[in-house]
PDB file of all heavy atoms in Angstrom:
ATOM      1  N   ALA B1100       0.823  -1.202   0.000  1.00  0.00           N
ATOM      2  CA  ALA B1100       0.000   0.000   0.000  1.00  0.00           C
ATOM      3  C   ALA B1100       0.866   1.265   0.000  1.00  0.00           C
ATOM      4  O   ALA B1100       0.474   2.293  -0.568  1.00  0.00           O
ATOM      5  CB  ALA B1100      -0.928  -0.003   1.209  1.00  0.00           C
ATOM      6  N   TYR B1101       2.021   1.186   0.622  1.00  0.00           N
ATOM      7  CA  TYR B1101       2.947   2.324   0.649  1.00  0.00           C
ATOM      8  C   TYR B1101       3.329   2.727  -0.773  1.00  0.00           C
ATOM      9  O   TYR B1101       3.231   3.896  -1.155  1.00  0.00           O
ATOM     10  CB  TYR B1101       4.178   1.924   1.458  1.00  0.00           C
ATOM     11  CG  TYR B1101       5.221   2.999   1.635  1.00  0.00           C
ATOM     12  CD1 TYR B1101       5.282   3.755   2.798  1.00  0.00           C
ATOM     13  CD2 TYR B1101       6.189   3.238   0.652  1.00  0.00           C
ATOM     14  CE1 TYR B1101       6.251   4.732   2.974  1.00  0.00           C
ATOM     15  CE2 TYR B1101       7.160   4.209   0.818  1.00  0.00           C
ATOM     16  CZ  TYR B1101       7.185   4.955   1.982  1.00  0.00           C
ATOM     17  OH  TYR B1101       8.134   5.923   2.149  1.00  0.00           O
ATOM     18  N   VAL B1102       3.756   1.762  -1.560  1.00  0.00           N
ATOM     19  CA  VAL B1102       4.162   2.055  -2.936  1.00  0.00           C
ATOM     20  C   VAL B1102       2.961   2.519  -3.755  1.00  0.00           C
ATOM     21  O   VAL B1102       3.070   3.423  -4.591  1.00  0.00           O
ATOM     22  CB  VAL B1102       4.825   0.820  -3.566  1.00  0.00           C
ATOM     23  CG1 VAL B1102       5.094   1.042  -5.053  1.00  0.00           C
ATOM     24  CG2 VAL B1102       6.138   0.505  -2.846  1.00  0.00           C
ATOM     25  N   HIS B1103       1.808   1.923  -3.508  1.00  0.00           N
ATOM     26  CA  HIS B1103       0.591   2.339  -4.216  1.00  0.00           C
ATOM     27  C   HIS B1103       0.257   3.794  -3.886  1.00  0.00           C
ATOM     28  O   HIS B1103      -0.129   4.579  -4.768  1.00  0.00           O
ATOM     29  CB  HIS B1103      -0.573   1.435  -3.837  1.00  0.00           C
ATOM     30  CG  HIS B1103      -1.790   1.627  -4.680  1.00  0.00           C
ATOM     31  ND1 HIS B1103      -3.061   1.274  -4.267  1.00  0.00           N
ATOM     32  CD2 HIS B1103      -1.944   2.166  -5.913  1.00  0.00           C
ATOM     33  CE1 HIS B1103      -3.937   1.581  -5.206  1.00  0.00           C
ATOM     34  NE2 HIS B1103      -3.291   2.118  -6.217  1.00  0.00           N
ATOM     35  N   ALA B1104       0.408   4.175  -2.623  1.00  0.00           N
ATOM     36  CA  ALA B1104       0.129   5.552  -2.219  1.00  0.00           C
ATOM     37  C   ALA B1104       1.101   6.529  -2.878  1.00  0.00           C
ATOM     38  O   ALA B1104       0.722   7.651  -3.242  1.00  0.00           O
ATOM     39  CB  ALA B1104       0.205   5.674  -0.693  1.00  0.00           C
ATOM     40  N   VAL B1105       2.353   6.113  -3.045  1.00  0.00           N
ATOM     41  CA  VAL B1105       3.308   6.965  -3.753  1.00  0.00           C
ATOM     42  C   VAL B1105       2.857   7.151  -5.195  1.00  0.00           C
ATOM     43  O   VAL B1105       2.882   8.273  -5.730  1.00  0.00           O
ATOM     44  CB  VAL B1105       4.726   6.363  -3.705  1.00  0.00           C
ATOM     45  CG1 VAL B1105       5.698   7.224  -4.525  1.00  0.00           C
ATOM     46  CG2 VAL B1105       5.221   6.257  -2.271  1.00  0.00           C
ATOM     47  N   GLN B1106       2.407   6.073  -5.848  1.00  0.00           N
ATOM     48  CA  GLN B1106       1.904   6.175  -7.218  1.00  0.00           C
ATOM     49  C   GLN B1106       0.717   7.127  -7.318  1.00  0.00           C
ATOM     50  O   GLN B1106       0.559   7.835  -8.318  1.00  0.00           O
ATOM     51  CB  GLN B1106       1.473   4.794  -7.724  1.00  0.00           C
ATOM     52  CG  GLN B1106       2.607   3.832  -8.024  1.00  0.00           C
ATOM     53  CD  GLN B1106       2.058   2.521  -8.550  1.00  0.00           C
ATOM     54  OE1 GLN B1106       1.908   1.541  -7.811  1.00  0.00           O
ATOM     55  NE2 GLN B1106       1.743   2.508  -9.821  1.00  0.00           N
ATOM     56  N   MET B1107      -0.141   7.129  -6.276  1.00  0.00           N
ATOM     57  CA  MET B1107      -1.324   7.977  -6.287  1.00  0.00           C
ATOM     58  C   MET B1107      -1.006   9.436  -5.988  1.00  0.00           C
ATOM     59  O   MET B1107      -1.890  10.289  -6.054  1.00  0.00           O
ATOM     60  CB  MET B1107      -2.337   7.448  -5.264  1.00  0.00           C
ATOM     61  CG  MET B1107      -2.873   6.064  -5.597  1.00  0.00           C
ATOM     62  SD  MET B1107      -3.857   5.357  -4.245  1.00  0.00           S
ATOM     63  CE  MET B1107      -5.254   6.481  -4.225  1.00  0.00           C
ATOM     64  N   GLY B1108       0.245   9.726  -5.656  1.00  0.00           N
ATOM     65  CA  GLY B1108       0.641  11.098  -5.404  1.00  0.00           C
ATOM     66  C   GLY B1108       0.431  11.562  -3.986  1.00  0.00           C
ATOM     67  O   GLY B1108       0.382  12.767  -3.724  1.00  0.00           O
ATOM     68  N   TRP B1109       0.334  10.621  -3.034  1.00  0.00           N
ATOM     69  CA  TRP B1109       0.137  11.006  -1.638  1.00  0.00           C
ATOM     70  C   TRP B1109       1.376  11.666  -1.044  1.00  0.00           C
ATOM     71  O   TRP B1109       1.274  12.389  -0.061  1.00  0.00           O
ATOM     72  CB  TRP B1109      -0.230   9.774  -0.815  1.00  0.00           C
ATOM     73  CG  TRP B1109      -1.654   9.353  -0.966  1.00  0.00           C
ATOM     74  CD1 TRP B1109      -2.474   9.566  -2.039  1.00  0.00           C
ATOM     75  CD2 TRP B1109      -2.416   8.614  -0.009  1.00  0.00           C
ATOM     76  NE1 TRP B1109      -3.699   9.001  -1.818  1.00  0.00           N
ATOM     77  CE2 TRP B1109      -3.696   8.418  -0.571  1.00  0.00           C
ATOM     78  CE3 TRP B1109      -2.143   8.102   1.245  1.00  0.00           C
ATOM     79  CZ2 TRP B1109      -4.704   7.744   0.102  1.00  0.00           C
ATOM     80  CZ3 TRP B1109      -3.139   7.418   1.917  1.00  0.00           C
ATOM     81  CH2 TRP B1109      -4.416   7.252   1.344  1.00  0.00           C
ATOM     82  N   GLY B1110       2.527  11.388  -1.594  1.00  0.00           N
ATOM     83  CA  GLY B1110       3.741  11.981  -1.067  1.00  0.00           C
ATOM     84  C   GLY B1110       4.971  11.313  -1.642  1.00  0.00           C
ATOM     85  O   GLY B1110       4.885  10.433  -2.510  1.00  0.00           O
ATOM     86  N   ILE B1111       6.113  11.751  -1.147  1.00  0.00           N
ATOM     87  CA  ILE B1111       7.400  11.179  -1.543  1.00  0.00           C
ATOM     88  C   ILE B1111       7.631   9.918  -0.719  1.00  0.00           C
ATOM     89  O   ILE B1111       7.380   9.884   0.488  1.00  0.00           O
ATOM     90  CB  ILE B1111       8.526  12.191  -1.297  1.00  0.00           C
ATOM     91  CG1 ILE B1111       8.310  13.439  -2.158  1.00  0.00           C
ATOM     92  CG2 ILE B1111       9.895  11.582  -1.585  1.00  0.00           C
ATOM     93  CD1 ILE B1111       9.192  14.601  -1.775  1.00  0.00           C
ATOM     94  N   GLY B1112       8.121   8.876  -1.360  1.00  0.00           N
ATOM     95  CA  GLY B1112       8.413   7.639  -0.659  1.00  0.00           C
ATOM     96  C   GLY B1112       9.886   7.301  -0.734  1.00  0.00           C
ATOM     97  O   GLY B1112      10.570   7.682  -1.688  1.00  0.00           O
ATOM     98  N   VAL B1113      10.382   6.621   0.280  1.00  0.00           N
ATOM     99  CA  VAL B1113      11.725   6.036   0.255  1.00  0.00           C
ATOM    100  C   VAL B1113      11.509   4.531   0.361  1.00  0.00           C
ATOM    101  O   VAL B1113      11.165   4.013   1.426  1.00  0.00           O
ATOM    102  CB  VAL B1113      12.606   6.570   1.397  1.00  0.00           C
ATOM    103  CG1 VAL B1113      13.997   5.947   1.317  1.00  0.00           C
ATOM    104  CG2 VAL B1113      12.710   8.092   1.320  1.00  0.00           C
ATOM    105  N   ALA B1114      11.672   3.848  -0.761  1.00  0.00           N
ATOM    106  CA  ALA B1114      11.258   2.454  -0.878  1.00  0.00           C
ATOM    107  C   ALA B1114      12.393   1.599  -1.415  1.00  0.00           C
ATOM    108  O   ALA B1114      13.361   2.118  -1.991  1.00  0.00           O
ATOM    109  CB  ALA B1114      10.043   2.357  -1.814  1.00  0.00           C
ATOM    110  N   PRO B1115      12.293   0.276  -1.251  1.00  0.00           N
ATOM    111  CA  PRO B1115      13.320  -0.607  -1.808  1.00  0.00           C
ATOM    112  C   PRO B1115      13.387  -0.483  -3.325  1.00  0.00           C
ATOM    113  O   PRO B1115      12.356  -0.554  -4.010  1.00  0.00           O
ATOM    114  CB  PRO B1115      12.859  -2.010  -1.389  1.00  0.00           C
ATOM    115  CG  PRO B1115      11.952  -1.792  -0.232  1.00  0.00           C
ATOM    116  CD  PRO B1115      11.282  -0.486  -0.487  1.00  0.00           C
ATOM    117  N   GLU B1116      14.588  -0.308  -3.843  1.00  0.00           N
ATOM    118  CA  GLU B1116      14.755  -0.229  -5.292  1.00  0.00           C
ATOM    119  C   GLU B1116      14.238  -1.500  -5.955  1.00  0.00           C
ATOM    120  O   GLU B1116      13.665  -1.452  -7.048  1.00  0.00           O
ATOM    121  CB  GLU B1116      16.234  -0.010  -5.617  1.00  0.00           C
ATOM    122  CG  GLU B1116      16.528   0.310  -7.071  1.00  0.00           C
ATOM    123  CD  GLU B1116      16.717  -0.934  -7.923  1.00  0.00           C
ATOM    124  OE1 GLU B1116      17.037  -2.000  -7.351  1.00  0.00           O
ATOM    125  OE2 GLU B1116      16.549  -0.845  -9.154  1.00  0.00           O
ATOM    126  N   LEU B1117      14.408  -2.628  -5.298  1.00  0.00           N
ATOM    127  CA  LEU B1117      13.920  -3.893  -5.829  1.00  0.00           C
ATOM    128  C   LEU B1117      12.409  -3.857  -6.035  1.00  0.00           C
ATOM    129  O   LEU B1117      11.892  -4.418  -7.015  1.00  0.00           O
ATOM    130  CB  LEU B1117      14.301  -5.015  -4.850  1.00  0.00           C
ATOM    131  CG  LEU B1117      13.841  -6.431  -5.160  1.00  0.00           C
ATOM    132  CD1 LEU B1117      14.460  -6.923  -6.453  1.00  0.00           C
ATOM    133  CD2 LEU B1117      14.207  -7.366  -4.000  1.00  0.00           C
ATOM    134  N   GLN B1118      11.689  -3.213  -5.146  1.00  0.00           N
ATOM    135  CA  GLN B1118      10.231  -3.177  -5.210  1.00  0.00           C
ATOM    136  C   GLN B1118       9.716  -2.206  -6.277  1.00  0.00           C
ATOM    137  O   GLN B1118       8.708  -2.474  -6.935  1.00  0.00           O
ATOM    138  CB  GLN B1118       9.666  -2.791  -3.844  1.00  0.00           C
ATOM    139  CG  GLN B1118       8.165  -2.913  -3.725  1.00  0.00           C
ATOM    140  CD  GLN B1118       7.681  -2.631  -2.314  1.00  0.00           C
ATOM    141  OE1 GLN B1118       8.426  -2.112  -1.482  1.00  0.00           O
ATOM    142  NE2 GLN B1118       6.439  -2.963  -2.028  1.00  0.00           N
ATOM    143  N   VAL B1119      10.382  -1.068  -6.455  1.00  0.00           N
ATOM    144  CA  VAL B1119       9.875  -0.038  -7.373  1.00  0.00           C
ATOM    145  C   VAL B1119      10.528  -0.089  -8.737  1.00  0.00           C
ATOM    146  O   VAL B1119      10.179   0.705  -9.620  1.00  0.00           O
ATOM    147  CB  VAL B1119      10.052   1.367  -6.763  1.00  0.00           C
ATOM    148  CG1 VAL B1119       9.293   1.479  -5.447  1.00  0.00           C
ATOM    149  CG2 VAL B1119      11.525   1.706  -6.551  1.00  0.00           C
ATOM    150  N   ARG B1120      11.453  -1.018  -8.948  1.00  0.00           N
ATOM    151  CA  ARG B1120      12.173  -1.087 -10.222  1.00  0.00           C
ATOM    152  C   ARG B1120      11.237  -1.152 -11.432  1.00  0.00           C
ATOM    153  O   ARG B1120      11.416  -0.401 -12.400  1.00  0.00           O
ATOM    154  CB  ARG B1120      13.126  -2.281 -10.202  1.00  0.00           C
ATOM    155  CG  ARG B1120      14.095  -2.342 -11.373  1.00  0.00           C
ATOM    156  CD  ARG B1120      14.946  -3.595 -11.240  1.00  0.00           C
ATOM    157  NE  ARG B1120      15.730  -3.583 -10.012  1.00  0.00           N
ATOM    158  CZ  ARG B1120      16.256  -4.681  -9.470  1.00  0.00           C
ATOM    159  NH1 ARG B1120      16.055  -5.865 -10.016  1.00  0.00           N
ATOM    160  NH2 ARG B1120      16.979  -4.593  -8.371  1.00  0.00           N
ATOM    161  N   PRO B1121      10.202  -2.022 -11.437  1.00  0.00           N
ATOM    162  CA  PRO B1121       9.308  -2.051 -12.606  1.00  0.00           C
ATOM    163  C   PRO B1121       8.545  -0.736 -12.803  1.00  0.00           C
ATOM    164  O   PRO B1121       8.269  -0.348 -13.946  1.00  0.00           O
ATOM    165  CB  PRO B1121       8.350  -3.209 -12.281  1.00  0.00           C
ATOM    166  CG  PRO B1121       9.043  -4.024 -11.252  1.00  0.00           C
ATOM    167  CD  PRO B1121       9.854  -3.064 -10.449  1.00  0.00           C
ATOM    168  N   LEU B1122       8.194  -0.068 -11.715  1.00  0.00           N
ATOM    169  CA  LEU B1122       7.452   1.180 -11.819  1.00  0.00           C
ATOM    170  C   LEU B1122       8.336   2.305 -12.351  1.00  0.00           C
ATOM    171  O   LEU B1122       7.859   3.203 -13.060  1.00  0.00           O
ATOM    172  CB  LEU B1122       6.872   1.558 -10.457  1.00  0.00           C
ATOM    173  CG  LEU B1122       5.897   0.539  -9.863  1.00  0.00           C
ATOM    174  CD1 LEU B1122       5.520   0.905  -8.437  1.00  0.00           C
ATOM    175  CD2 LEU B1122       4.647   0.441 -10.733  1.00  0.00           C
ATOM    176  N   LEU B1123       9.611   2.273 -12.023  1.00  0.00           N
ATOM    177  CA  LEU B1123      10.542   3.238 -12.597  1.00  0.00           C
ATOM    178  C   LEU B1123      10.713   2.991 -14.094  1.00  0.00           C
ATOM    179  O   LEU B1123      10.749   3.933 -14.895  1.00  0.00           O
ATOM    180  CB  LEU B1123      11.901   3.149 -11.897  1.00  0.00           C
ATOM    181  CG  LEU B1123      11.938   3.561 -10.418  1.00  0.00           C
ATOM    182  CD1 LEU B1123      13.293   3.223  -9.814  1.00  0.00           C
ATOM    183  CD2 LEU B1123      11.651   5.052 -10.265  1.00  0.00           C
ATOM    184  N   ALA B1124      10.792   1.718 -14.479  1.00  0.00           N
ATOM    185  CA  ALA B1124      10.977   1.387 -15.897  1.00  0.00           C
ATOM    186  C   ALA B1124       9.770   1.799 -16.734  1.00  0.00           C
ATOM    187  O   ALA B1124       9.919   2.230 -17.882  1.00  0.00           O
ATOM    188  CB  ALA B1124      11.241  -0.108 -16.044  1.00  0.00           C
ATOM    189  N   SER B1125       8.572   1.700 -16.160  1.00  0.00           N
ATOM    190  CA  SER B1125       7.352   2.042 -16.898  1.00  0.00           C
ATOM    191  C   SER B1125       7.040   3.539 -16.863  1.00  0.00           C
ATOM    192  O   SER B1125       6.157   3.996 -17.584  1.00  0.00           O
ATOM    193  CB  SER B1125       6.164   1.278 -16.326  1.00  0.00           C
ATOM    194  OG  SER B1125       5.849   1.748 -15.014  1.00  0.00           O
ATOM    195  N   GLY B1126       7.726   4.281 -16.005  1.00  0.00           N
ATOM    196  CA  GLY B1126       7.447   5.707 -15.876  1.00  0.00           C
ATOM    197  C   GLY B1126       6.369   6.037 -14.879  1.00  0.00           C
ATOM    198  O   GLY B1126       6.007   7.211 -14.710  1.00  0.00           O
ATOM    199  N   ALA B1127       5.839   5.024 -14.179  1.00  0.00           N
ATOM    200  CA  ALA B1127       4.803   5.283 -13.175  1.00  0.00           C
ATOM    201  C   ALA B1127       5.364   6.030 -11.974  1.00  0.00           C
ATOM    202  O   ALA B1127       4.638   6.751 -11.281  1.00  0.00           O
ATOM    203  CB  ALA B1127       4.162   3.973 -12.724  1.00  0.00           C
ATOM    204  N   LEU B1128       6.664   5.840 -11.699  1.00  0.00           N
ATOM    205  CA  LEU B1128       7.354   6.575 -10.641  1.00  0.00           C
ATOM    206  C   LEU B1128       8.645   7.153 -11.192  1.00  0.00           C
ATOM    207  O   LEU B1128       9.195   6.661 -12.186  1.00  0.00           O
ATOM    208  CB  LEU B1128       7.670   5.659  -9.448  1.00  0.00           C
ATOM    209  CG  LEU B1128       6.496   5.148  -8.614  1.00  0.00           C
ATOM    210  CD1 LEU B1128       7.000   4.216  -7.521  1.00  0.00           C
ATOM    211  CD2 LEU B1128       5.690   6.295  -8.025  1.00  0.00           C
ATOM    212  N   VAL B1129       9.122   8.183 -10.520  1.00  0.00           N
ATOM    213  CA  VAL B1129      10.371   8.837 -10.902  1.00  0.00           C
ATOM    214  C   VAL B1129      11.296   8.846  -9.690  1.00  0.00           C
ATOM    215  O   VAL B1129      10.854   9.144  -8.570  1.00  0.00           O
ATOM    216  CB  VAL B1129      10.117  10.281 -11.384  1.00  0.00           C
ATOM    217  CG1 VAL B1129      11.442  10.984 -11.696  1.00  0.00           C
ATOM    218  CG2 VAL B1129       9.207  10.289 -12.600  1.00  0.00           C
ATOM    219  N   ALA B1130      12.572   8.504  -9.901  1.00  0.00           N
ATOM    220  CA  ALA B1130      13.547   8.538  -8.827  1.00  0.00           C
ATOM    221  C   ALA B1130      13.977   9.979  -8.561  1.00  0.00           C
ATOM    222  O   ALA B1130      14.211  10.755  -9.492  1.00  0.00           O
ATOM    223  CB  ALA B1130      14.760   7.687  -9.183  1.00  0.00           C
ATOM    224  N   LEU B1131      14.063  10.353  -7.288  1.00  0.00           N
ATOM    225  CA  LEU B1131      14.497  11.680  -6.875  1.00  0.00           C
ATOM    226  C   LEU B1131      15.942  11.594  -6.393  1.00  0.00           C
ATOM    227  O   LEU B1131      16.255  10.762  -5.525  1.00  0.00           O
ATOM    228  CB  LEU B1131      13.606  12.215  -5.755  1.00  0.00           C
ATOM    229  CG  LEU B1131      12.099  12.241  -6.050  1.00  0.00           C
ATOM    230  CD1 LEU B1131      11.331  12.662  -4.799  1.00  0.00           C
ATOM    231  CD2 LEU B1131      11.793  13.167  -7.209  1.00  0.00           C
ATOM    232  N   ARG B1132      16.792  12.421  -6.945  1.00  0.00           N
ATOM    233  CA  ARG B1132      18.205  12.407  -6.572  1.00  0.00           C
ATOM    234  C   ARG B1132      18.721  10.967  -6.514  1.00  0.00           C
ATOM    235  O   ARG B1132      19.102  10.466  -5.437  1.00  0.00           O
ATOM    236  CB  ARG B1132      18.417  13.133  -5.243  1.00  0.00           C
ATOM    237  CG  ARG B1132      17.972  14.592  -5.256  1.00  0.00           C
ATOM    238  CD  ARG B1132      18.167  15.256  -3.913  1.00  0.00           C
ATOM    239  NE  ARG B1132      19.579  15.408  -3.601  1.00  0.00           N
ATOM    240  CZ  ARG B1132      20.306  16.505  -3.859  1.00  0.00           C
ATOM    241  NH1 ARG B1132      19.729  17.562  -4.427  1.00  0.00           N
ATOM    242  NH2 ARG B1132      21.578  16.566  -3.536  1.00  0.00           N
ATOM    243  N   PRO B1133      18.711  10.276  -7.644  1.00  0.00           N
ATOM    244  CA  PRO B1133      19.048   8.842  -7.656  1.00  0.00           C
ATOM    245  C   PRO B1133      20.453   8.526  -7.177  1.00  0.00           C
ATOM    246  O   PRO B1133      20.744   7.361  -6.848  1.00  0.00           O
ATOM    247  CB  PRO B1133      18.857   8.451  -9.130  1.00  0.00           C
ATOM    248  CG  PRO B1133      18.929   9.740  -9.887  1.00  0.00           C
ATOM    249  CD  PRO B1133      18.380  10.791  -8.985  1.00  0.00           C
ATOM    250  N   GLU B1134      21.319   9.543  -7.104  1.00  0.00           N
ATOM    251  CA  GLU B1134      22.668   9.284  -6.599  1.00  0.00           C
ATOM    252  C   GLU B1134      22.688   9.082  -5.080  1.00  0.00           C
ATOM    253  O   GLU B1134      23.683   8.609  -4.521  1.00  0.00           O
ATOM    254  CB  GLU B1134      23.595  10.446  -6.976  1.00  0.00           C
ATOM    255  CG  GLU B1134      23.400  11.737  -6.193  1.00  0.00           C
ATOM    256  CD  GLU B1134      22.214  12.583  -6.667  1.00  0.00           C
ATOM    257  OE1 GLU B1134      21.498  12.132  -7.584  1.00  0.00           O
ATOM    258  OE2 GLU B1134      22.026  13.685  -6.126  1.00  0.00           O
ATOM    259  N   VAL B1135      21.569   9.448  -4.417  1.00  0.00           N
ATOM    260  CA  VAL B1135      21.474   9.308  -2.962  1.00  0.00           C
ATOM    261  C   VAL B1135      20.706   8.032  -2.642  1.00  0.00           C
ATOM    262  O   VAL B1135      19.522   7.912  -2.978  1.00  0.00           O
ATOM    263  CB  VAL B1135      20.777  10.523  -2.328  1.00  0.00           C
ATOM    264  CG1 VAL B1135      20.706  10.353  -0.808  1.00  0.00           C
ATOM    265  CG2 VAL B1135      21.505  11.809  -2.695  1.00  0.00           C
TER     266      VAL B1135
END
């Protein structure tokens, strides 16, 4: 639900890269300051 809420625009999330990797690839989420 945390990742789903981030997709819905509830706020910024700090999540496992393993979990959000497909969403980053599809453009559903965007990484913020990916060097951090």
Side-chain angles (χ1 to χ4, degrees):
Y1101 182 98
V1102 173
H1103 190 202
V1105 176
Q1106 288 182 262
M1107 296 171 66
W1109 282 27
I1111 298 168
V1113 181
E1116 189 273 338
L1117 177 63
Q1118 188 175 13
V1119 300
R1120 189 182 299 161
L1122 299 172
L1123 294 172
S1125 68
L1128 291 178
V1129 176
L1131 305 174
R1132 301 178 68 94
E1134 74 281 3
V1135 181

